[in-house]
Amino acid sequence: MIGRLRLAQYMRVSGSLVQRSLSTTPAVGTGEREKESWKTESEKEELPKGEWRSFFHYFAPKKGITIDVVHHLQKGFDLRPKALQKWLKKIKQKRSENDQVFRKDRVAALGFDLAAAHFIVHRGGKVRFKDSQEWTQQDEDEEYDLPGHYNENFAVEAIDASETNILYEGFECISNLKQLTWLSVANCPHIDDWCIDRICGQYASTLKHLDISNCTKITHRGIAALARLGELRSLHINGLENIRDIQLLCLLLEDILPEIKIVGIDYMDTSSLQKSTVNEDQLL
């Protein structure tokens, strides 16, 4: 039944059809068989019995739409304020993701370093190139001066993306930066463990300074992943005191990376040391 229905719909959409009929010659001992036609009307698909129908049911076209779409329209729309806010948030999130998708044409015209510089500065961040002490950022009119074509003399050494709207997808746009040693994503609302994992994967051999202060979506897993940054010398984690076992994780990082300096956490909590001492005395 379903195969016949799809075939009939396909042949109606295809436009010009040649009138054809299937007929068979009379068989011995039987009467003449009825002719079968390919132009028979398609069988109607009916909704499940007892299902409520909205007025959208009357606007459903006879062809070119599936029964699943009709069912979806008949469910109605949730117009409550919370539902609308959730829907708008989802739309904005999807738009931001599309805006930060990696573009091959931009890299082809600018190279990885200048493409990353344009990406960061355009979104309110700033960059510093190798052998330069000045930061490149937007002025009061939201304009900035960066080359529009590839120039091998521009190598990004530092990126300050703090307080920007950078997402996980955006880190692909700042990849392959061979000279990057300094990175700040402080106060970025979307930085989470997945972003930390990507940072560690891309800059494990070059990054020396990292600031992830007030990135409240980071958990103990993200902090533990920082051990992969073998050249890290400075780590700022202000505002992350609520992460589980943060003091212990910082001690482990210092053990794995002896030259690292961690700023923003009192990992030597005397109260926790006193509790452990009391427990040891009880055991003795």
Side-chain angles (χ1 to χ4, degrees):
M1 181 188 302
I2 297 177
R4 187 183 301 173
L5 172 63
R6 291 179 178 175
L7 180 59
Q9 291 178 344
Y10 172 78
M11 296 184 70
R12 286 202 305 270
V13 174
S14 62
S16 60
L17 295 177
V18 179
Q19 296 184 358
R20 300 181 60 183
S21 61
L22 296 177
S23 60
T24 56
T25 56
V28 178
T30 61
E32 183 178 357
R33 298 181 181 179
E34 296 181 356
K35 294 183 179 180
E36 298 179 358
S37 173
W38 285 7
K39 299 185 64 177
T40 55
E41 295 184 0
S42 58
E43 298 181 14
K44 296 182 179 179
E45 296 185 12
E46 297 182 357
L47 298 174
K49 189 175 181 180
E51 183 171 347
W52 175 78
R53 297 183 180 185
S54 70
F55 70 93
F56 289 106
H57 172 74
Y58 299 100
F59 293 93
K62 296 182 179 180
K63 62 180 180 179
I65 189 172
T66 63
I67 196 67
D68 294 333
V69 176
V70 178
H71 287 175
H72 180 73
L73 293 174
Q74 290 179 339
K75 291 180 180 179
F77 299 95
D78 189 352
L79 299 178
R80 293 176 298 176
K82 289 185 178 180
L84 292 176
Q85 292 176 359
K86 184 178 180 181
W87 176 74
L88 288 174
K89 184 178 180 181
K90 186 177 180 180
I91 294 296
K92 291 180 179 179
Q93 179 72 12
K94 188 64 177 177
R95 185 178 299 174
S96 297
E97 292 176 0
N98 294 335
D99 181 59
Q100 298 189 25
V101 170
F102 177 76
R103 291 177 51 184
K104 294 182 180 179
D105 57 338
R106 179 166 52 195
V107 174
L110 300 171
F112 286 105
D113 288 88
L114 280 176
H118 277 273
F119 177 83
I120 292 296
V121 176
H122 178 72
R123 285 160 180 80
K126 54 185 179 180
V127 299
R128 191 182 75 242
F129 296 102
K130 188 177 181 181
D131 300 328
S132 175
Q133 300 299 324
E134 298 181 358
W135 289 86
T136 301
Q137 59 185 329
Q138 293 183 4
D139 57 19
E140 297 179 354
D141 298 325
E142 298 184 356
E143 296 181 355
Y144 55 91
D145 184 19
L146 280 174
H149 300 281
Y150 172 73
N151 190 327
E152 61 181 4
N153 297 322
F154 287 85
V156 176
E157 186 177 48
I159 291 178
D160 185 356
S162 57
E163 300 183 3
T164 63
N165 195 39
I166 188 170
L167 303 172
Y168 175 82
E169 290 78 8
F171 281 95
E172 188 174 2
C173 299
I174 58 173
S175 60
N176 295 297
L177 305 181
K178 306 300 182 182
Q179 305 294 330
L180 185 67
T181 61
W182 197 98
L183 175 63
S184 174
V185 290
N187 301 295
C188 292
H190 303 295
I191 298 298
D192 54 13
D193 294 341
W194 293 101
C195 297
I196 295 297
D197 179 72
R198 194 156 200 172
I199 292 173
C200 295
Q202 293 179 175
Y203 305 114
S205 60
T206 62
L207 201 61
K208 295 183 179 180
H209 170 87
L210 178 62
D211 190 348
I212 55 175
S213 299
N214 300 312
C215 296
T216 55
K217 287 188 176 182
I218 297 176
T219 69
H220 62 283
R221 297 183 181 88
I223 300 298
L226 296 175
R228 297 162 56 191
L229 297 174
E231 300 297 323
L232 196 62
R233 299 292 181 268
S234 174
L235 175 63
H236 289 250
I237 54 174
N238 297 281
L240 302 182
E241 298 85 357
N242 294 330
I243 293 180
R244 189 180 71 185
D245 299 328
I246 185 63
Q247 293 86 358
L248 177 59
L249 289 170
C250 290
L251 288 172
L252 292 174
L253 282 177
E254 287 193 342
D255 184 56
I256 297 173
L257 306 171
E259 299 183 17
I260 193 175
K261 180 181 179 182
I262 301 177
V263 180
I265 188 69
D266 183 15
Y267 55 88
M268 293 298 293
D269 191 349
T270 57
S271 61
S272 61
L273 292 177
Q274 291 176 357
K275 291 180 180 179
S276 62
T277 303
V278 172
N279 293 334
E280 290 178 359
D281 292 341
Q282 292 177 351
L283 291 176
L284 293 176

